[in-house]
Amino acid sequence: AGRQAEEELAQAFNRTLIDRAKAVWDRDRVKGKAKAYVDLSDPGLKDEVLKDAWSIIPVETKDYIRDIFGDDGFMVRKDMINNLVGYRTASIGDAWMGPSRFSPEMRKAVADVATLIMGRNTFKVLVTAEKSWKAGISVAKQTIVIRSVIVPVANLASNVLQAATNGVPVRSIAKGFATKLIEIDHHLKNLDRLVEINALLARYRDDVFETRKLLAEQKALEDASRRMSIWPLIEAGEFATISEGLTEADAAIAQGKWVDYIHNLVEKVPAKFGTVGDTVS
């Protein structure tokens, strides 16, 4: 029953999408922009990927397209094709089978050269390897999302709930979080500067005046951290991310750029795992 409901919703969505595509086609055709369109239902299409996309559209949806577009076919603006029928990612396996935008000569050349180098099991080895690095990307993204997003958010919600159930007013909780984040930011910056001071002390160990100045600054920074309300937690080792020093994630959280940090982290994953596969594909 759930699957049937899903199909009904999908069909309703498809019809709305087709109605919108027809409205855009009618508008642009009047403006003389017909050359920017392609008929996806045209059996004479030279693009094998688009022909395959049309072939997998459900029969009910094709019938509705014919009812709406009539003799026009299925006119879709070229820059909207991926939005309407999806995007087909190239695969190394395209050199051996399946619809592809590569010419038959190019596909044969790739297959022949690869087989010459790797032997008769080339297709199986390459496709398996491609699936592996794609799976690696998926696992890496899930790990990043779970460890860097879901877990911190769950901990945050737990902290708020625990404080509220112990009688702390909601306004005080919100204010407290802001205050503590400011202290965390200041303490992390102090730690960052203390690392620099230690390096400078080694550099200017024979300069009495410079050493005295650096030691004074070192003591001032340490005293500043000790005066913070979060110091007892730091001293007790309860706040490991603070005690262990400044990290990229800590800096992102402290500066209110945590979401951007996570987004950039996820975006970097395909580049690390998939560069070779994307190049070959």
Side-chain angles (χ1 to χ4, degrees):
R3 181 62 179 166
Q4 290 174 347
E6 179 184 334
E7 289 295 334
E8 290 178 3
L9 290 173
Q11 190 62 24
F13 178 84
N14 288 339
R15 290 179 177 178
T16 302
L17 189 64
I18 293 165
D19 291 340
R20 181 56 183 159
K22 179 63 162 59
V24 174
W25 161 242
D26 289 341
R27 181 195 65 194
D28 287 351
R29 178 173 51 178
V30 174
K31 295 181 180 180
K33 298 181 179 180
K35 291 184 178 180
Y37 284 74
V38 60
D39 181 6
L40 293 186
S41 66
D42 183 4
L45 275 176
K46 295 181 179 180
D47 192 320
E48 294 295 328
V49 173
L50 296 185
K51 289 175 67 174
D52 183 62
W54 170 256
S55 69
I56 62 177
I57 293 177
V59 176
E60 297 82 359
T61 304
K62 286 182 178 179
D63 291 339
Y64 188 75
I65 290 173
R66 296 186 182 97
D67 291 340
I68 297 300
F69 278 84
D71 296 334
D72 289 340
F74 185 26
M75 303 302 295
V76 179
R77 206 167 68 195
K78 295 176 182 178
D79 62 348
M80 295 174 60
I81 292 176
N82 290 343
N83 300 97
L84 264 74
V85 296
Y87 175 77
R88 186 185 186 91
T89 304
S91 168
I92 187 61
D94 290 349
W96 282 267
M97 58 182 293
S100 172
R101 289 191 170 99
F102 293 127
S103 66
E105 293 78 12
M106 176 65 72
R107 294 170 62 183
K108 185 177 186 302
V110 172
D112 289 347
V113 172
T115 303
L116 178 65
I117 296 173
M118 302 181 65
R120 62 180 182 180
N121 292 324
T122 300
F123 173 77
K124 179 180 178 180
V125 172
L126 290 179
V127 171
T128 301
E130 183 181 51
K131 289 181 179 179
S132 298
W133 65 255
K134 285 183 178 179
I137 293 173
S138 177
V139 171
K141 285 187 175 182
Q142 290 178 17
T143 301
I144 290 172
V145 170
I146 292 173
R147 296 186 61 181
S148 301
V149 180
I150 296 177
V151 172
V153 170
N155 289 338
L156 179 65
S158 176
N159 291 337
V160 173
L161 181 61
Q162 184 177 17
T165 54
N166 281 277
V168 181
V170 176
R171 182 176 297 180
S172 298
I173 295 174
K175 184 178 179 180
F177 268 105
T179 302
K180 296 301 181 285
L181 281 175
I182 292 173
E183 288 191 353
I184 290 170
D185 185 40
H186 287 167
H187 179 66
L188 291 175
K189 289 178 179 177
N190 290 348
L191 288 180
D192 194 28
R193 177 55 183 166
L194 286 171
V195 172
E196 295 178 356
I197 290 175
N198 287 331
L200 291 172
L201 284 171
R203 178 181 178 184
Y204 296 109
R205 59 179 176 273
D206 297 328
D207 189 328
V208 178
F209 175 78
E210 192 67 28
T211 298
R212 186 177 301 170
K213 185 174 69 172
L214 290 170
L215 288 173
E217 183 183 0
Q218 183 184 57
K219 187 176 186 307
L221 291 174
E222 291 174 347
D223 290 342
S225 289
R226 287 191 179 93
R227 289 194 296 269
M228 295 179 182
S229 63
I230 62 174
W231 179 253
L233 294 175
I234 299 172
E235 193 173 30
E238 295 291 338
F239 207 143
T241 55
I242 294 181
S243 301
E244 293 170 2
L246 182 64
T247 66
E248 186 178 358
D250 295 330
I253 294 172
Q255 296 168 10
K257 299 178 180 179
W258 179 55
V259 173
D260 293 336
Y261 167 74
I262 297 301
H263 175 74
N264 292 334
L265 198 60
V266 172
E267 287 299 318
K268 290 177 182 178
V269 173
K272 293 180 179 179
F273 285 91
T275 301
V276 175
D278 286 340
T279 302
V280 174
S281 297

